[in-house]
Amino acid sequence: MAIAIEEHNREASPEDRITAAFVESKPRFAWHPGMLLPGTTMQISFLKDLVTQRNATSEFSFLNYLADRGRMAHFINHQTFFPTRREFSDYLEWADEKAGADVYYSTRAEAIRDGDGHLVIDALGPSGPISLYARNVVVAGGLREALPAGVTASTRQFHNHRLLDHLAAMPTPTQNRFLVVGAGQSAAEVVEYLHATYPQAQVHNVFAKYGYVPADDSPYANRIFDATAVDEFHAADERQRAALLDYHKATNYSCVDLDLIRELYRREYAEHVDGERRLFMRGASRVASVDEDANSVRVLVENLLTGETEQLAVDAVVYATGFTPTDLSELLGDLVEPGELTDGVGRDYRVTTTRPLSGAVYTQGGTERTHGLTSSLLSNIAIRSGEILQSVVAARAVSYSYSA
């Protein structure tokens, strides 16, 4: 969004330029630092960066980043569309520094309300409460870690999203055994990382499926992520939208890259041959109970087909159990009716409000039911940000004509 505004302002007349400020709860820019595991790669093409699909000549592109870093020829020789996540994270930090946006870090937005001719954003920063004033507000609430019912996060039980941080803070292993819950890409990556990083430890993966389901990244299925698909999806009726999300969930949810599936199977089979098992895939199973003490977590694993149970004492349980969209209703208060944040969002991502406001509220993310699978993904972020900006600019032009 910051880059789209920067590029707009370069071409716009002084009166049409847009000023922007950003509120971010983190102390500094970071992109999933807890899951930047060695060797993990992006699942989307580098061409789906912050700008290319919106402006192919932008200086903020991944290709320009490569040129700036002196790695263009090396990347071409690498012959891949999928850089490592560590490299893409470095690209994002490079773009953040290059954009130089006005960001209030370590600051959390607490309420958005209508003021006298403007919107007011009440926030809590390092030095206390502050208020910002804007004509338009874009809310990117992100996702929240989802833990199974009854699970309380601790130093031995935690979500995978901050895996590296949690492992660093975990007590010294004494059981030499880990358990991972989940059957998606993150679960498989955590299993691979733990198996390689703790060579003396067993790694058990528990999931309800019989085995991993391969991610569908075939060309025709991937059209669901095209920008034109958002137009068609938003215009469709609710029943058809729900059907499409169900048909294509294997492109994004609870699925694993086939190469990673094969690698984990290779490791498990080699252990069968050697007779020294460390990797255990417990399909068609569930965690029936957990009991944590100072030295371990005792996990009761139940086989859903046979009913048999086995108790394992593990050093940690990693829950790769997905995310839920952040509930923005408290932030927006009486500006929106219940349900409007899921069903009342326009094609331009403008939220339907309970009454006319002094400005507009847009949402980045949380619109899967109305805009499709790209709602919170990088796949369409360049175009999505551009569309929101276009809506803001168009609304300003209308208000100018009214005032004239």
Side-chain angles (χ1 to χ4, degrees):
M1 196 77 213
I3 294 169
I5 293 171
E6 166 73 14
E7 294 184 337
H8 164 80
N9 286 345
R10 291 179 185 178
E11 302 295 330
S13 59
E15 63 273 15
D16 290 331
R17 291 172 188 163
I18 291 176
T19 57
F22 299 83
V23 172
E24 170 58 56
S25 61
K26 295 187 181 74
R28 60 179 295 274
F29 179 86
W31 180 72
H32 304 297
M35 279 295 287
L36 295 180
L37 308 181
T40 54
T41 60
M42 298 295 293
Q43 293 172 277
I44 60 171
S45 166
F46 69 86
L47 293 172
K48 292 185 175 182
D49 57 18
L50 297 174
V51 291
T52 297
Q53 293 190 99
R54 175 181 57 78
N55 177 11
T57 62
S58 172
E59 66 181 270
F60 293 93
S61 69
F62 184 81
L63 287 177
N64 195 45
Y65 154 79
L66 289 175
D68 189 64
R69 289 286 197 256
R71 290 202 304 270
M72 178 71 78
H74 299 299
F75 187 84
I76 292 172
N77 291 336
H78 195 28
Q79 297 184 13
T80 182
F81 273 92
F82 309 104
T84 65
R85 288 190 198 156
R86 287 188 173 182
E87 183 174 33
F88 203 79
S89 175
D90 187 58
Y91 156 66
L92 295 175
E93 291 191 23
W94 169 88
D96 169 62
E97 183 177 348
K98 189 177 181 66
D102 181 14
V103 185
Y104 291 77
Y105 282 113
S106 298
T107 302
R108 182 176 296 277
E110 297 192 320
I112 299 172
R113 53 191 173 87
D114 197 17
D116 183 13
H118 52 258
L119 297 175
V120 183
I121 302 90
D122 295 322
L124 184 62
S127 302
I130 61 172
S131 292
L132 303 174
Y133 306 94
R135 178 76 65 183
N136 301 279
V137 178
V138 180
V139 182
L143 303 171
R144 301 286 183 179
E145 300 171 354
L147 291 173
V151 172
T152 301
S154 70
T155 56
R156 292 190 182 276
Q157 297 187 72
F158 44 83
H159 194 274
N160 72 278
H161 185 231
R162 292 178 52 232
L163 176 71
L164 298 178
D165 300 327
H166 288 304
L167 291 177
M170 185 185 70
T172 302
T174 58
Q175 307 299 320
N176 285 322
R177 187 179 293 120
F178 293 89
L179 189 139
V180 180
V181 180
Q185 181 70 21
S186 293
E189 289 175 354
V190 171
V191 168
E192 181 189 44
Y193 179 76
L194 294 174
H195 187 262
T197 305
Y198 297 88
Q200 306 304 316
Q202 294 181 1
V203 181
H204 297 254
N205 191 187
V206 175
F207 46 86
K209 296 179 179 180
Y210 204 81
Y212 291 137
V213 174
D216 185 357
D217 61 353
S218 57
Y220 288 115
N222 266 354
R223 283 181 171 176
I224 198 71
F225 300 113
D226 291 352
T228 54
V230 180
D231 294 327
E232 297 166 346
F233 190 93
H234 191 272
D237 61 56
E238 185 176 354
R239 180 179 178 181
Q240 186 57 39
R241 292 200 302 261
L244 284 175
L245 290 176
D246 186 58
Y247 291 150
H248 294 288
K249 61 186 177 182
T251 60
N252 191 51
Y253 294 117
S254 196
C255 53
V256 183
D257 284 344
L258 187 56
D259 287 345
L260 180 53
I261 294 175
R262 287 172 172 158
E263 170 59 21
L264 290 173
Y265 193 89
R266 183 196 65 78
R267 294 187 191 186
E268 188 182 26
Y269 184 76
E271 292 178 359
H272 277 293
V273 174
D274 294 339
E276 297 181 6
R277 297 290 307 283
R278 289 201 305 117
L279 182 57
F280 297 86
M281 296 296 178
R282 295 178 173 271
S285 298
R286 73 180 184 99
V287 172
S289 66
V290 294
D291 183 19
E292 181 178 344
D293 58 32
N295 299 312
S296 68
V297 182
R298 291 184 298 278
V299 184
L300 187 67
V301 179
E302 178 187 1
N303 186 299
L304 297 171
L305 300 178
T306 66
E308 295 179 351
T309 60
E310 181 180 357
Q311 189 168 77
L312 301 171
V314 303
D315 290 298
V317 181
V318 183
Y319 295 95
T321 45
F323 301 85
T324 57
T326 299
D327 184 3
L328 301 177
S329 58
E330 183 176 350
L331 179 68
L332 296 175
D334 65 354
L335 299 185
V336 296
E337 296 282 1
E340 287 298 317
L341 288 171
T342 54
D343 300 313
V345 180
R347 174 61 187 86
D348 60 354
Y349 303 96
R350 182 169 178 166
V351 177
T352 301
T353 55
T354 55
R355 59 189 183 279
L357 303 179
S358 301
V361 177
Y362 298 85
T363 180
Q364 280 259 35
T367 57
E368 186 172 285
R369 285 174 53 173
T370 52
H371 291 71
L373 287 166
T374 63
S375 166
S376 60
L377 302 181
L378 280 169
S379 295
N380 201 33
I381 194 168
I383 294 176
R384 185 166 65 243
S385 298
E387 288 173 340
I388 292 174
L389 178 59
Q390 287 174 3
S391 178
V392 169
V393 172
R396 288 181 60 173
V398 170
S399 66
Y400 288 162
S401 66
Y402 287 163
S403 62

